[in-house]
Amino acid sequence: WQRVIHTDVEPAPMPKLALVGLHFLPTTHFRHPAGRDNGRTARTWVPLDLLRHPEELSHEVTSVDVFSWISCLDLRTLAVLTNSTLSSSSHPHDVSFNFLIPEGGNDQLPYYKLKSVLPADSNITITSQKEIEDKLNFTTPEGNFLWALRNELSPIIITTTQLPRKRYVYISEDSIIKGKIEDLVRIDLGSYGIGVAEDCSKRLGDYISMDTLNAVQRMASKGLVYEPYDKNPCLLDFDVLLVEPRNLKRNLIHSIAFWSKVVNVANQRDRIRLAMTIAFYENYLKLPTNWKRANANTDIVYYDGPKNVCSEDDGQHQEKGSGKTWQQYLGQKSEAILST
């Protein structure tokens, strides 16, 4: 059974290699979201080990939590992501969406605009990225590292600051879901912290030799590397992640930060992708190929409608759409509300 989203309904109420020494002090705590103690404003710190006690976490999948981080706000993409996911879901009432949007203006306005074009019973939460920034511990190198690369490392930031107590799905905001999100969430991760698709059009050996990786491994501090690098793996595609917080390694952030300095490529997003691929080397579950985002008949495809694009100097322009798939999930009247 598929829930049909009715559109146009009147709104309802090649790279250089650099070997650089990098030393991080271990992170043991981060700031609690509440940030209060006995009714007074305070910096309350929570141990990272909280994420690693299985007895405190539910093993049953009774609902689906979807997280998405958007660096240049465009409510059309979030509406299409929501509507497409709900229309394909077997149990749409059990799906909730958590959108992390850039700071600026009235953060309640995006919520009300989205709610006006979504099914009345849709469950969405919108959080300003300023709140996320406030939860990071900037007295440590890793806190600064995470925020400086927040758009590339948003799935990791969500894990360390949102304190999700059960598994969740991270999806790039410019996506259209055509498969059942429940099928993805129910995948058995075993002892792995993430499930992720592979992109075998590029391999780690295209950027750095395995001999070099192993040489760096022998020099690295204990805990920053986990396996002998004796294979040439595919890169990982971080547009879709199934995350089990309790299974993530304690030194994951340190490992990603270390490898981001070891392997240096011109494109920042590619550099972090490489670092994360090395940090998760043989420590992930490969998701079925139907959950590899593509412009094809897969369970997740690229959003193909018009969208806002932001530049590094805070400028913004609109990019024309390349297809019509998005129109199945957002009609003209709804688009007019969200594009203003």
Side-chain angles (χ1 to χ4, degrees):
W1 177 80
Q2 284 193 332
R3 183 177 187 175
V4 178
I5 300 297
H6 299 285
T7 59
D8 285 331
V9 176
E10 288 296 328
M14 280 314 289
K16 293 181 179 180
L17 171 66
L19 302 181
V20 182
L22 186 65
H23 300 282
F24 285 92
L25 295 174
T27 296
T28 57
H29 294 70
F30 61 90
R31 194 182 302 173
H32 190 277
R36 292 183 176 273
D37 186 16
N38 297 325
R40 294 174 297 175
T41 301
R43 293 186 176 183
T44 303
W45 300 103
V46 180
L48 283 176
D49 274 352
L50 180 62
L51 295 178
R52 301 192 53 78
H53 294 302
E55 66 272 13
E56 298 181 10
L57 300 162
S58 172
H59 292 270
E60 297 181 3
V61 179
T62 57
S63 61
V64 179
D65 291 318
V66 176
F67 283 81
S68 192
W69 177 291
I70 186 166
S71 56
C72 187
L73 185 61
D74 192 314
L75 297 178
R76 292 168 295 189
T77 63
L78 299 181
V80 169
L81 173 59
T82 305
N83 277 338
S84 63
T85 303
L86 293 176
S87 66
S88 301
S89 172
S90 299
H91 305 284
H93 297 290
D94 295 332
V95 184
S96 63
F97 301 86
N98 306 270
F99 298 133
L100 300 147
I101 67 170
E103 179 188 8
N106 182 357
D107 291 333
Q108 290 298 314
L109 184 58
Y111 172 81
Y112 290 116
K113 280 190 172 184
L114 271 179
K115 286 292 288 185
S116 72
V117 303
L118 297 176
D121 57 353
S122 57
N123 184 0
I124 66 169
T125 300
I126 289 184
T127 303
S128 169
Q129 291 167 18
K130 180 66 170 69
E131 293 185 31
I132 306 302
E133 182 182 12
D134 290 341
K135 295 173 187 176
L136 288 175
N137 180 5
F138 285 101
T139 64
T140 62
E142 47 279 350
N144 288 288
F145 169 73
L146 286 171
W147 192 247
L149 299 167
R150 53 191 174 275
N151 295 327
E152 292 79 9
L153 292 171
S154 53
I156 307 301
I157 292 178
I158 289 169
T159 298
T160 57
T161 60
Q162 293 298 97
L163 263 186
R165 301 182 65 82
K166 59 182 179 179
R167 65 171 50 193
Y168 66 91
V169 179
Y170 174 88
I171 301 178
S172 290
E173 82 286 351
D174 55 340
S175 302
I176 298 175
I177 304 298
K178 305 179 80 172
K180 295 184 185 300
I181 198 72
E182 296 88 351
D183 292 345
L184 176 60
V185 173
R186 293 191 182 110
I187 291 175
D188 184 5
L189 289 177
S191 62
Y192 294 121
I194 66 165
V196 59
E198 293 180 340
D199 179 6
C200 291
S201 66
K202 299 178 181 178
R203 292 183 174 271
L204 198 56
D206 295 336
Y207 297 89
I208 183 172
S209 74
M210 300 300 105
D211 289 341
T212 301
L213 281 180
N214 284 308
V216 174
Q217 180 191 40
R218 290 191 292 270
M219 297 185 296
S221 301
K222 185 178 180 181
L224 296 180
V225 292
Y226 309 126
E227 303 284 345
Y229 301 104
D230 55 359
K231 297 181 180 179
N232 186 16
C234 303
L235 295 191
L236 302 185
D237 188 332
F238 295 100
D239 291 323
V240 183
L241 285 175
L242 176 59
V243 183
E244 186 71 74
R246 63 184 178 185
N247 290 343
L248 291 173
K249 294 184 178 296
R250 287 189 62 183
N251 290 324
L252 177 60
I253 299 173
H254 312 293
S255 182
I256 296 172
F258 174 80
W259 288 113
S260 72
K261 296 295 183 180
V262 171
V263 180
N264 189 21
V265 296
N267 183 283
Q268 180 169 278
R269 186 174 187 274
D270 287 344
R271 175 166 61 89
I272 298 303
R273 187 182 175 196
L274 283 167
M276 292 177 71
T277 294
I278 300 173
F280 281 110
Y281 183 85
E282 294 197 337
N283 279 285
Y284 64 90
L285 180 76
K286 179 183 176 181
L287 293 180
T289 55
N290 56 299
W291 285 105
K292 167 72 172 68
R293 192 167 66 150
N295 291 315
N297 295 320
T298 55
D299 285 341
I300 177 170
V301 300
Y302 285 94
Y303 170 82
D304 59 356
K307 63 180 179 180
N308 296 328
V309 178
C310 295
S311 58
E312 293 183 0
D313 59 359
D314 295 328
Q316 181 175 296
H317 68 276
Q318 184 162 126
E319 190 176 86
K320 293 182 178 180
S322 58
K324 297 182 178 180
T325 302
W326 69 283
Q327 294 176 350
Q328 300 176 34
Y329 309 103
L330 193 68
Q332 291 182 354
K333 292 180 179 179
S334 297
E335 182 196 357
I337 294 173
L338 301 181
S339 61
T340 56

